[in-house]
Amino acid sequence: DNTGNSVSFTNAAATNISAGGIQGSTVVLNTANGLTQTGAIVATSLDVTNTVAGNVVLDQNNDVATVAITNEVADVTYTTNRSSTTDIAGIQGVNIDLNSENGITQSGAITATSLDVTNAATGNVVLANGSNDVDSLTVINTTRAITYSDSDDVILNQLDGSPITINAGGNVTQVSTIQGTDLIVTAGGEIDLDTVVNSVDTFTATSTNSDITLSTNQPLVVAAAGIDAGLGNIGLTVTNGSLTQVGELTGASLALIITDGDVVLDNALNDVDSIAALVEGTNRSFTFNDKDDLIIGSAGTLHGIVGENIITLSTGGHLTQTKSIQADSLKVSNTGGDITLTDTGNKFDYLEAQNSGRSISILSTSNSVDAVTTIYGTGIEGSTVNLVTEGIAQTAPIKASFLDIS
């Protein structure tokens, strides 16, 4: 006990801190073959260096404001019941296990093969040092914030908290679930979060021209900051609810799988080159707006747009397709290009198309027994209108300078 004063200890052998523990202001421990404890450390700062071999296992209810541990040869475990936040001034180890009750921050980098953090009572886990370099990350801070930054690739083993913010210089992938209301990910490489089904309500993601994917079992909202894959592709899977948005989607292609909900992606600033979607479930609708040209094509394993109810597409440029559209009803509108939907696999019973002053070409076979496609809603308006159907009826007008029906 040297409360209020410094403690410094060096030992070349394996060392155990006995039941009486260590009390001091600044505590410096240098060991060569491992460090364990049966008594707690109480101090303002703790600096541990272990060399040669052995783990550093400080698993009692320690109470230290600032902790630095270097054990590049083996594992590090540190446990605290401190009543306020613990600052990590730097930890180097193979596998690092941190257990706290009232929050963790950092002023120095963490370097390890794996990092496992559990915060049990109150406070946030904020490990936002961009020099962190961890291969595998687990953080449990249920209902409270998690922030983690890494200098390169990181594998998310398990995350439980909200909001969750991940910043990585490389790829972000996962092997286990992410549980949280809000997920924000920024990466210098791919963001691949669809290998397991997560439980996420809102999603924001930015990559440097690389793919972004997410799978969730909750209704999903694209949050205000949006999803930006640059020249990369976007893939979203929602297994239990609808997909909606506040912020825009930007990418080369967009692939959507929705198994029990509607799709309402009606932000006029969306900008993808091609789209493919599977919307499963009775009476589920699909709405997508794009600011310029859009191709109904292939994205990932999906081809075209398939739904059971109404598909609504609005574009600011040319609307074309290389794969089919299949639904009960199709509504299309355009403010800056032609509409050319002539794939022979198209199937819809009802059609509405608005493209004033520009051309419309649409081919459709019908799902109905009578093989009739009905013009409905606001009808069809364009300059030159070409319709190819098995049969046609109307409950709304066709307005055009030239009309060809075959």
Side-chain angles (χ1 to χ4, degrees):
D1 186 338
N2 197 30
T3 302
N5 297 294
S6 298
V7 174
S8 183
F9 177 78
T10 299
N11 189 11
T15 302
N16 179 67
I17 298 169
S18 62
I22 298 175
Q23 296 80 43
S25 58
T26 299
V27 175
V28 178
L29 304 177
N30 296 284
T31 60
N33 286 281
L35 176 64
T36 59
Q37 68 178 155
T38 54
I41 300 170
V42 179
T44 302
S45 68
L46 171 65
D47 191 334
V48 176
T49 301
N50 183 65
T51 59
V52 182
N55 299 324
V56 173
V57 183
L58 302 177
D59 57 357
Q60 300 301 304
N61 286 326
N62 300 297
D63 184 356
V64 179
T66 302
V67 177
I69 302 173
T70 301
N71 189 30
E72 296 179 354
V73 296
D75 298 344
V76 173
T77 298
Y78 180 78
T79 299
T80 178
N81 68 346
R82 182 173 172 78
S83 61
S84 58
T85 301
T86 299
D87 173 53
I88 303 301
I91 299 180
Q92 292 76 49
V94 179
N95 301 300
I96 297 174
D97 189 353
L98 303 177
N99 301 284
S100 67
E101 293 190 359
N102 294 289
I104 296 177
T105 61
Q106 68 178 148
S107 55
I110 298 172
T111 304
T113 301
S114 71
L115 172 62
D116 189 331
V117 180
T118 301
N119 186 60
T122 65
N124 301 322
V125 174
V126 183
L127 302 175
N129 189 310
S131 296
N132 292 331
D133 189 1
V134 171
D135 296 334
S136 175
L137 177 68
T138 299
V139 183
I140 307 299
N141 193 32
T142 305
T143 73
R144 298 175 299 276
I146 297 170
T147 299
Y148 178 77
S149 296
D150 196 278
S151 61
D152 52 20
D153 297 347
V154 63
I155 300 170
L156 306 180
N157 186 52
Q158 184 180 5
L159 299 178
D160 186 350
S162 187
I164 298 171
T165 302
I166 302 296
N167 300 287
N171 299 325
V172 178
T173 58
Q174 68 178 148
V175 295
S176 191
T177 59
I178 299 170
Q179 176 93 25
T181 302
D182 305 311
L183 176 62
I184 304 101
V185 183
T186 302
E190 292 186 2
I191 299 171
D192 184 6
L193 302 178
D194 68 348
T195 54
V196 298
V197 178
N198 303 292
S199 184
V200 172
D201 296 339
T202 74
F203 185 44
T204 298
T206 303
S207 70
T208 304
N209 296 321
S210 298
D211 294 351
I212 298 173
T213 60
L214 175 73
S215 178
T216 179
N217 62 8
Q218 298 293 316
L220 182 66
V221 179
V222 178
I227 299 174
D228 187 352
L231 300 176
N233 306 301
I234 301 171
L236 301 174
T237 300
V238 181
T239 62
N240 185 28
S242 297
L243 172 62
T244 59
Q245 71 179 142
V246 179
E248 63 266 24
L249 297 160
T250 303
S253 71
L254 176 62
L256 305 173
I257 299 175
I258 313 299
T259 59
D260 191 21
D262 300 322
V263 175
V264 184
L265 300 176
D266 55 359
N267 188 313
L269 296 178
N270 290 332
D271 188 6
V272 300
D273 297 330
S274 67
I275 187 170
L278 174 62
V279 183
E280 297 180 326
T282 304
N283 296 323
R284 297 303 185 183
S285 63
F286 178 95
T287 299
F288 183 76
N289 290 1
D290 193 274
K291 73 177 187 179
D292 51 23
D293 296 349
L294 180 67
I295 301 170
I296 312 303
S298 297
T301 60
L302 300 178
H303 306 287
I305 300 176
V306 179
E308 294 187 9
N309 195 19
I310 300 172
I311 293 175
T312 303
L313 301 172
S314 300
T315 59
H318 298 298
L319 176 59
T320 59
Q321 66 182 151
T322 59
K323 298 297 180 180
S324 64
I325 300 171
Q326 299 180 19
D328 179 70
S329 303
L330 175 65
K331 296 183 177 183
V332 292
S333 62
N334 197 324
T335 60
D338 298 330
I339 296 174
T340 308
L341 301 175
T342 54
D343 189 278
T344 56
N346 289 340
K347 281 184 175 291
F348 35 86
D349 296 333
Y350 297 90
L351 173 63
E352 175 183 311
Q354 295 294 312
N355 196 26
S356 178
R358 293 168 298 276
S359 69
I360 298 173
S361 296
I362 296 177
L363 182 151
S364 172
T365 57
S366 175
N367 298 298
S368 62
V369 175
D370 58 7
V372 171
T373 298
T374 301
I375 311 304
Y376 85 123
T378 61
I380 295 178
E381 181 175 358
S383 58
T384 300
V385 175
N386 295 283
L387 302 176
V388 179
T389 67
E390 295 176 306
I392 193 165
Q394 66 181 149
T395 59
I398 299 173
K399 300 177 183 180
S401 57
F402 177 82
L403 173 64
D404 184 356
I405 298 176
S406 60

